[in-house]
Amino acid sequence: MKSKSAVNIIGTDSHGCWIVSNAALFPGMVFRHWAPSPDGQDRAVVAQQAGAARIPFSSSWTALLSDPAPVILVLSNSNRRQILEEGLQSGKTLVLSPSTICDDAEIDIIRSAAAKGRGRILHGGWIGYTQAGLQAKRLIREEAFGKLHSIYLALRTKRNATTDVDIVREAGWPVFDFICSCVPGSIQSVYVSGSALFNEMLIDTAVCLIRFQAGAIVTVELSRCLPANFAAADSGEVEFEIIGANKTLRSEPNKSAVILHGEAAAAALPWNESPLLEMLTDACRAPEQATIGLPHLEKVIELMAIAGRSLNDGLPVRRSSSPRNPTGSYCERRL
């Protein structure tokens, strides 16, 4: 009989609440301890959630570094760099919350750990870890799908009066993570155009046109346009269409059921899953079987940075490989 994989948790967010409500969905795992964030501000909440989920509460997150459990789920944004540095140095597999956006300092920590062969990390990117996202990534790699021609993806989120970032910074990470998982090769050019349609102070709507060197063209629409009381998931409404030489795939990952069309009738197949479940399942595999690596993470960071430049400057950003620029770095060019 296969033994269960041991996992510890640091901090909490909306995914912590989901674990409490859906602990039965983790039959192949055992949560050994749940500790508060380094600053201790979520101590009372974590203690309550740990008790509700019947997971032993640990008063110190550093105690988890010497615990036998090889996987740590990091739901804390407080002092996260310290958690990354010490966790990777301890050889742990760290799973960051699906809503995570890594910054440059955190990427440097991950690079340093990777160079020393210490630990590994699975970062946020919830679209790619939904059932629809996982199936899409699997199908487009099959020979029957044919060469990937284009991807269209739209993400619409609820209006948020408290946000202080533009829509690309807020919603781009899971979108670009999914795109980089689907399209091989490097990025050739990016153009982002945005407007403040629902908020006078911030760009809340943007269209991104991305061309990859392999020939695939990606169109992304991002908009913080839904009313606050709109009946939609907190992560928003998502739809994507992927066109190959032989087949086309269309999906809405946040739908609560899949419609299966058969010869006799159409049937609705409901599911209750979270990207977090798939991320933890991935983390508990052997390191050589993990689907996320540092090159992919750097590719997502690169695309986020280029999109931000294009949005701020209003110019397309292309990779140049001229004799004056032999490294193939990016430069701004009017088309």
Side-chain angles (χ1 to χ4, degrees):
M1 183 178 178
K2 185 179 178 180
S3 59
K4 292 186 176 183
S5 301
V7 178
N8 284 320
I9 308 174
I10 298 177
T12 188
D13 60 7
S14 60
H15 301 287
C17 300
W18 189 86
I19 290 174
V20 172
S21 303
N22 297 277
L25 294 179
F26 299 86
M29 304 172 204
V30 55
F31 294 105
R32 287 176 55 85
H33 299 96
W34 198 338
S37 301
D39 63 10
Q41 293 187 4
D42 56 5
R43 182 185 181 91
V45 177
V46 168
Q48 180 182 17
Q49 291 183 344
R54 298 183 179 180
I55 299 173
F57 174 75
S58 174
S59 59
S60 172
W61 71 272
T62 55
L64 306 186
L65 301 180
S66 57
D67 189 86
V71 178
I72 298 178
L73 171 61
V74 182
L75 299 180
S76 171
N77 285 322
S78 167
N79 298 95
R80 196 173 65 193
R81 295 177 190 173
Q82 182 183 1
I83 298 175
L84 291 181
E85 191 165 21
E86 297 188 27
L88 292 173
Q89 188 174 0
S90 301
K92 300 296 185 181
T93 294
L94 303 182
V95 180
L96 303 188
S97 172
S99 56
T100 291
I101 298 176
C102 292
D103 58 29
D104 292 340
E106 291 173 337
I107 291 297
D108 289 340
I109 293 173
I110 297 168
R111 283 197 190 105
S112 177
K116 298 174 183 177
R118 295 178 176 173
R120 63 192 182 103
I121 190 164
L122 273 75
H123 62 86
W126 64 266
I127 295 177
Y129 274 107
T130 61
Q131 289 298 314
L134 290 168
Q135 290 291 340
K137 290 187 288 185
R138 180 183 63 82
L139 289 172
I140 63 177
R141 283 168 173 75
E142 294 181 354
E143 186 177 351
F145 191 80
K147 182 181 178 180
L148 177 62
H149 289 321
S150 66
I151 298 177
Y152 165 79
L153 191 151
L155 172 60
R156 307 173 188 92
T157 64
K158 296 180 182 180
R159 300 173 204 167
N160 183 357
T162 62
T163 188
D164 58 355
V165 296
D166 62 66
I167 186 64
V168 174
R169 180 64 180 169
E170 179 189 49
W173 183 276
V175 172
F176 295 153
D177 168 79
F178 178 64
I179 289 168
C180 290
S181 297
C182 293
V183 186
S186 56
I187 304 157
Q188 182 179 8
S189 65
V190 179
Y191 179 50
V192 183
S193 178
S195 298
L197 300 182
F198 304 94
N199 186 320
E200 296 181 357
M201 304 300 295
L202 290 170
I203 294 177
D204 52 34
T205 301
V207 176
C208 313
L209 299 177
I210 308 165
R211 183 185 293 273
F212 287 79
Q213 288 191 337
I217 299 174
V218 177
T219 304
V220 174
E221 295 180 6
L222 304 173
S223 184
R224 194 186 297 124
C225 60
L226 302 179
N229 60 351
F230 191 78
D234 290 339
S235 53
E237 291 185 334
V238 186
E239 61 177 306
F240 61 76
E241 184 172 270
I242 305 176
I243 300 176
N246 303 323
K247 294 183 179 181
T248 297
L249 171 67
R250 188 179 187 280
S251 182
E252 297 178 62
N254 276 347
K255 290 291 186 181
S256 59
V258 173
I259 304 300
L260 178 64
H261 297 276
E263 294 182 358
L269 306 179
W271 72 64
N272 180 11
E273 61 87 27
S274 165
L276 181 61
L277 175 59
E278 297 296 339
M279 290 184 73
L280 284 175
T281 301
D282 196 4
C284 291
R285 297 189 180 104
E288 61 273 12
Q289 294 179 304
T291 60
I292 296 297
L294 183 59
H296 171 83
L297 185 59
E298 292 186 319
K299 187 177 177 182
V300 179
I301 286 287
E302 178 186 51
L303 185 51
M304 283 286 290
I306 299 170
R309 278 177 55 187
S310 180
L311 179 66
N312 292 333
D313 299 338
L315 292 171
V317 181
R318 283 184 168 180
R319 182 186 293 273
S320 172
S321 57
S322 65
R324 295 181 180 179
N325 186 22
T327 60
S329 58
Y330 293 92
C331 60
E332 295 169 355
R333 295 178 57 190
R334 292 187 183 275
L335 296 180

